[in-house]
Amino acid sequence: MNVLRVESQPFEGQKPGTSGLRKKVRVFETPGYLENFVQSIFNTLGDCSGQALVIGGDGRYYNRVAIQTILRMAVANGFTRLIVGQGGLLSTPAASCVIRKYATRGGIVLSASHNPGGPDEDFGIKFNGDNGGPATEGVTDAIWQASKEIDHYLTLESLDVDLDRLGESRLEGAVIEVIDPVADYADQMEALFDFPKMSALVRNPKFRLCFDAMHAVTGPYAREIFENRLGARPGSVVNADPKEDFGGGHPDPNMVHAHELVALMNGDDPMDFGAASDGDGDRNMVMGSGFYINPCDSLAVLAANAHLVPGYRDGLAGVARSMPTSRAVDRVARELGIDCYETPTGWKFFGNLMDAGRITLCGEESFGTGSDHLREKDGLWAVLFWLNIVAEEAKPASEIVRDHWQRFGRDYFSRHDFEGIDSDAATRMIATLEEKLDTLPGQTFAGLTVESADSFSYRDPVDDSVSTGQGLRLFFNNGGRVVMRLSGTGTSGAALRVYYDLYQVDPALLGQPAQVALAGLIDAADEVAGIRKYTGREAPDVIT
Ligand code: G1P
Ligand code: ZN
């Protein structure tokens, strides 16, 4: 084989964040930058000879270029079977599905999730292990170490692989297999959910459904599942063609960025069921007619109704949520008599719990919901789960949520994001608050008294690894909680996230706007941490 050894030197800052390495495209275009990181992954894996690897991405700008580079390097490093999604596409959950189905050594997924795409925007790369899930912290730390010691990478001199033609070809001695990115995933969905019942619902002319793929990777998946397999009216899936720049939009399914869907669902003649997904297809937002479903509530409702869905009929082993996610699912777990785990932010912390059979469902407030059917959060899966429940209960989604609140109480929740703020100021704000945490209990801010405060750390019950500094938590005497942390997925400046939640059982007070119900906590947080002062902002950039 014609392997080329290229001398190289470490680049600063190749430490994977919450979900892989994310940088501006321009940074990835620096000669050797992508190569160094990919070689660091392979060096961490050790001997790759004779192994199989899955490669695909969300179709954003630079996806195809990166895939050609990675294919050459993978073959030069000894991989003999490369499974690639046609057109270079694989949604994050589909990549997880394919890694598991074909029992490969793992996969490389190219995505910066919901961050905008294009020559001046973001790109990203992450490694998933043989369980199909994001590399654990141990592995990402080892990759980072390797990136600091790298002195060469291995590649080939070869022509580009045709990523558009399905089927097998050869690159030196290795087999390149271009697969349909949708089929395996769609088959898995069909095995989990009651497609005949859901099909009857979506074929009913009185039921109107809209799925907004936001010009991102889920378009082809959603078309195949909703329109071809379930028989929804053609056109039910909108913005369905993946674009390199996501049509200039911000492919993040929330009330701000999914404004097209929000307008359809909240207009004069609203649809019955609406949903959207993000750049790489792992996030979801579900809406009923004129009704937004908070992701924390969504997780709780799915857990409470899982027995209605064929794939979960036998019950749940346990559930988990990230720490900033509201405690709504904890209440369901208590009633079901199952364990509920509280993990740091980021999907990688759920993998061990699923592999050990401790949990079936899990989720994050950041529009991420999933189960042990694979090892990533899964946007379309969550939407199908909801559709299955709506079909089974023959009730609108909004009624299902309101019934849930009546039964369990409501955990009001909101997250305030302050984006692109000065990194130093953000770090100083968090450090200052952290220093005085011990002194806060007993003190009153904007009329609310702090009962306890800490910096969240997590001991993984499966491998005993410890993750510290995972967010500052303040618990108040009204039962409310405020969490503050800095984002680990940004590519410029810092983003401060402030999470608020408050439990309410009074049936008369279950229908307030979240910002009204949480106003006291919001004032208290500003007073205790100086949010406006440090960020220089009067209001958050995004409220979810
Ligand atoms: C954000 C979300 C987090 C999610 C991650 C990847 O990370 O808050 O829940 O797992 O994106 O989708 P953050 O930017 O907060 O570090
Ligand atoms: Zn994503």
Side-chain angles (χ1 to χ4, degrees), residues 477-496:
N477 64 340
N478 64 346
R481 182 185 69 160
V482 177
V483 174
M484 290 183 215
R485 58 180 283 282
L486 297 180
S487 158
T489 57
T491 56
S492 55
L496 169 70

Side-chain angles (χ1 to χ4, degrees), residues 258-279:
H259 44 82
E260 222 178 301
L261 176 77
V262 172
L264 275 177
M265 297 307 296
N266 288 347
D268 293 340
D269 181 24
M271 301 262 171
D272 298 287
F273 186 88
S277 182
D278 73 329

Side-chain angles (χ1 to χ4, degrees), residues 17-146:
T18 312
S19 182
L21 182 69
R22 287 193 195 162
K23 300 283 173 194
K24 292 288 172 206
V25 167
R26 300 285 182 219
V27 175
F28 273 103
E29 284 173 334
T30 312
Y33 192 90
L34 172 68
E35 289 85 345
N36 268 16
F37 191 74
V38 172
Q39 189 64 52
S40 302
I41 295 174
F42 295 154
N43 291 350
T44 302
L45 294 182
D47 186 9
C48 306
S49 51
Q51 301 193 336
L53 187 72
V54 172
I55 305 174
D58 62 12
R60 67 177 57 228
Y61 183 85
Y62 204 60
N63 191 48
R64 283 171 177 266
V65 180
I67 289 178
Q68 298 292 351
T69 301
I70 297 167
L71 283 172
R72 288 189 186 99
M73 289 186 63
V75 175
N77 277 275
F79 284 97
T80 47
R81 188 170 171 223
L82 287 313
I83 302 174
V84 195
Q86 189 179 26
L89 296 183
L90 273 176
S91 75
T92 288
S96 185
C97 164
V98 171
I99 292 168
R100 293 168 69 79
K101 181 161 178 179
Y102 299 102
T104 69
R105 178 65 185 84
I108 292 183
V109 183
L110 291 325
S111 170
S113 189
H114 49 286
N115 296 7
D120 296 314
E121 299 293 352
D122 291 358
F123 192 72
I125 172 169
K126 55 187 175 176
F127 175 73
N128 282 29
D130 58 5
N131 70 346
T136 56
E137 276 211 319
V139 175
T140 53
D141 280 347
I143 295 172
W144 183 37
Q145 285 310 322

Side-chain angles (χ1 to χ4, degrees), residues 331-352:
R331 306 180 202 289
V332 177
R334 222 169 291 139
E335 184 158 315
L336 294 174
I338 57 176
D339 286 336
C340 178
Y341 298 85
E342 182 178 42
T343 58
T345 294
W347 209 259
K348 59 189 168 199
F349 295 99
F350 295 131
N352 276 350

